[in-house]
Coordinates of all heavy atoms in Angstrom, one line a residue:
D247 N -4.6 5.3 8.3 CA -3.2 5.1 8.6 C -3.1 4.8 10.1 O -2.3 3.9 10.5 CB -2.3 6.3 8.3 CG -2.1 6.4 6.8 OD1 -2.2 5.4 6.0 OD2 -1.7 7.5 6.3
I248 N -3.8 5.6 10.9 CA -3.7 5.4 12.4 C -4.3 4.0 12.7 O -3.7 3.2 13.5 CB -4.5 6.5 13.1 CG1 -3.8 7.8 13.0 CG2 -4.8 6.1 14.6 CD1 -4.6 9.0 13.4
Q249 N -5.4 3.6 12.1 CA -6.0 2.3 12.4 C -5.1 1.2 11.9 O -5.0 0.1 12.6 CB -7.4 2.2 11.7 CG -8.4 3.1 12.4 CD -9.8 2.9 11.9 OE1 -10.0 2.9 10.7 NE2 -10.7 2.8 12.8
V250 N -4.4 1.3 10.8 CA -3.4 0.3 10.3 C -2.3 0.2 11.4 O -2.0 -1.0 11.8 CB -2.8 0.7 9.0 CG1 -1.6 -0.2 8.7 CG2 -3.8 0.6 7.9
E251 N -1.8 1.3 11.9 CA -0.8 1.2 13.0 C -1.3 0.5 14.2 O -0.5 -0.3 14.8 CB -0.4 2.6 13.5 CG 0.4 3.5 12.5 CD 0.5 4.9 13.1 OE1 0.3 5.1 14.3 OE2 0.8 5.8 12.3
Q252 N -2.5 0.7 14.5 CA -3.1 0.1 15.8 C -3.6 -1.3 15.6 O -3.6 -2.1 16.6 CB -4.3 0.9 16.2 CG -4.0 2.4 16.4 CD -3.3 2.7 17.7 OE1 -3.5 2.0 18.7 NE2 -2.4 3.7 17.7
A253 N -3.8 -1.8 14.4 CA -4.4 -3.1 14.2 C -3.4 -4.2 14.5 O -2.2 -4.1 14.1 CB -4.9 -3.3 12.7
S254 N -3.8 -5.1 15.4 CA -2.8 -6.2 15.8 C -3.0 -7.4 15.0 O -2.1 -8.2 14.9 CB -3.0 -6.4 17.3 OG -4.3 -6.8 17.6
E255 N -4.2 -7.6 14.4 CA -4.5 -8.8 13.6 C -4.2 -8.6 12.2 O -4.5 -7.5 11.6 CB -5.9 -9.3 13.8 CG -6.2 -9.7 15.2 CD -7.7 -10.2 15.4 OE1 -8.3 -10.4 14.3 OE2 -8.2 -10.2 16.5
L256 N -3.6 -9.6 11.5 CA -3.2 -9.4 10.1 C -4.4 -9.2 9.2 O -4.3 -8.3 8.4 CB -2.4 -10.7 9.7 CG -1.9 -10.7 8.2 CD1 -0.9 -9.5 8.0 CD2 -1.3 -12.0 7.9
D257 N -5.5 -9.9 9.4 CA -6.6 -9.7 8.5 C -7.2 -8.3 8.6 O -7.5 -7.7 7.6 CB -7.8 -10.7 8.9 CG -7.5 -12.1 8.5 OD1 -6.6 -12.3 7.6 OD2 -8.2 -13.0 8.9
A258 N -7.2 -7.7 9.8 CA -7.7 -6.4 10.0 C -6.8 -5.4 9.4 O -7.2 -4.4 8.7 CB -7.8 -6.0 11.5
R259 N -5.5 -5.6 9.5 CA -4.5 -4.7 8.8 C -4.6 -4.7 7.3 O -4.6 -3.7 6.7 CB -3.0 -5.1 9.2 CG -2.6 -4.7 10.6 CD -1.2 -5.1 10.9 NE -0.2 -4.5 10.1 CZ 0.4 -3.3 10.3 NH1 0.1 -2.7 11.4 NH2 1.3 -2.8 9.5
L260 N -4.8 -5.9 6.8 CA -4.9 -6.1 5.3 C -6.2 -5.4 4.8 O -6.2 -4.8 3.8 CB -4.9 -7.6 4.9 CG -3.5 -8.2 5.1 CD1 -3.7 -9.7 4.8 CD2 -2.5 -7.6 4.2
D261 N -7.3 -5.6 5.6 CA -8.6 -4.9 5.2 C -8.4 -3.4 5.2 O -8.8 -2.7 4.3 CB -9.7 -5.3 6.2 CG -10.2 -6.7 5.9 OD1 -9.9 -7.3 4.9 OD2 -10.9 -7.2 6.8
L262 N -7.7 -2.9 6.2 CA -7.5 -1.4 6.3 C -6.6 -0.9 5.2 O -6.8 0.1 4.6 CB -7.0 -1.0 7.7 CG -8.0 -1.2 8.9 CD1 -7.2 -1.2 10.2 CD2 -9.0 -0.1 8.8
L263 N -5.5 -1.7 4.9 CA -4.6 -1.3 3.9 C -5.3 -1.3 2.5 O -5.1 -0.4 1.7 CB -3.4 -2.2 3.8 CG -2.4 -1.9 5.0 CD1 -1.4 -3.1 5.0 CD2 -1.7 -0.6 4.7
G264 N -6.2 -2.3 2.3 CA -7.0 -2.4 1.1 C -7.9 -1.2 0.9 O -8.0 -0.6 -0.2
R265 N -8.6 -0.8 2.0 CA -9.5 0.3 2.0 C -8.7 1.6 1.7 O -9.1 2.4 0.9 CB -10.2 0.4 3.4 CG -11.1 1.6 3.5 CD -12.4 1.5 2.7 NE -13.2 2.7 2.9 CZ -13.6 3.5 1.9 NH1 -13.3 3.2 0.7 NH2 -14.3 4.5 2.2
A266 N -7.5 1.8 2.3 CA -6.7 2.9 2.1 C -6.2 3.0 0.6 O -6.2 4.1 0.0 CB -5.5 2.9 3.1
A267 N -5.8 1.9 0.1 CA -5.4 1.8 -1.3 C -6.5 2.2 -2.2 O -6.3 3.0 -3.2 CB -4.9 0.4 -1.7
T268 N -7.7 1.7 -2.0 CA -8.9 2.1 -2.8 C -9.2 3.6 -2.7 O -9.5 4.2 -3.7 CB -10.1 1.3 -2.3 OG1 -9.8 -0.1 -2.4 CG2 -11.4 1.6 -3.1
V269 N -9.1 4.2 -1.5 CA -9.4 5.6 -1.4 C -8.3 6.4 -2.1 O -8.7 7.3 -2.9 CB -9.4 6.0 0.1 CG1 -9.4 7.5 0.3 CG2 -10.6 5.4 0.8
A270 N -7.1 6.0 -2.0 CA -6.0 6.7 -2.6 C -6.1 6.6 -4.1 O -6.0 7.6 -4.9 CB -4.6 6.2 -2.2
E271 N -6.5 5.4 -4.6 CA -6.5 5.2 -6.1 C -7.8 5.9 -6.7 O -7.7 6.6 -7.7 CB -6.5 3.7 -6.4 CG -6.6 3.4 -7.9 CD -6.7 1.9 -8.2 OE1 -6.7 1.1 -7.3 OE2 -6.8 1.6 -9.4
H272 N -8.9 5.6 -6.2 CA -10.2 6.0 -6.8 C -10.6 7.4 -6.4 O -11.0 8.2 -7.2 CB -11.3 5.0 -6.6 CG -11.0 3.6 -7.2 ND1 -11.0 3.4 -8.5 CD2 -10.6 2.5 -6.6 CE1 -10.6 2.1 -8.7 NE2 -10.4 1.5 -7.6
A273 N -10.6 7.7 -5.1 CA -11.2 8.9 -4.6 C -10.2 10.1 -4.8 O -10.5 11.2 -5.2 CB -11.5 8.8 -3.2
L274 N -8.9 9.8 -4.6 CA -7.9 10.8 -4.7 C -7.1 10.8 -6.0 O -6.3 11.7 -6.3 CB -6.9 10.8 -3.5 CG -7.6 11.0 -2.1 CD1 -6.5 10.8 -1.0 CD2 -8.2 12.4 -2.0

């Protein structure tokens, strides 16, 4: 979440959001 807030480039934000969604869905 912190890294998403800090990311200035769209691709980086999307990658981080995708990673967060995967963690939330599969791990948690």
Side-chain angles (χ1 to χ4, degrees):
D247 285 340
I248 290 168
Q249 289 184 313
V250 167
E251 288 173 19
Q252 304 285 326
S254 57
E255 295 180 17
L256 181 60
D257 287 345
R259 283 180 64 90
L260 291 173
D261 286 345
L262 291 165
L263 286 167
R265 176 73 179 123
T268 301
V269 170
E271 180 182 359
H272 297 289
L274 298 175

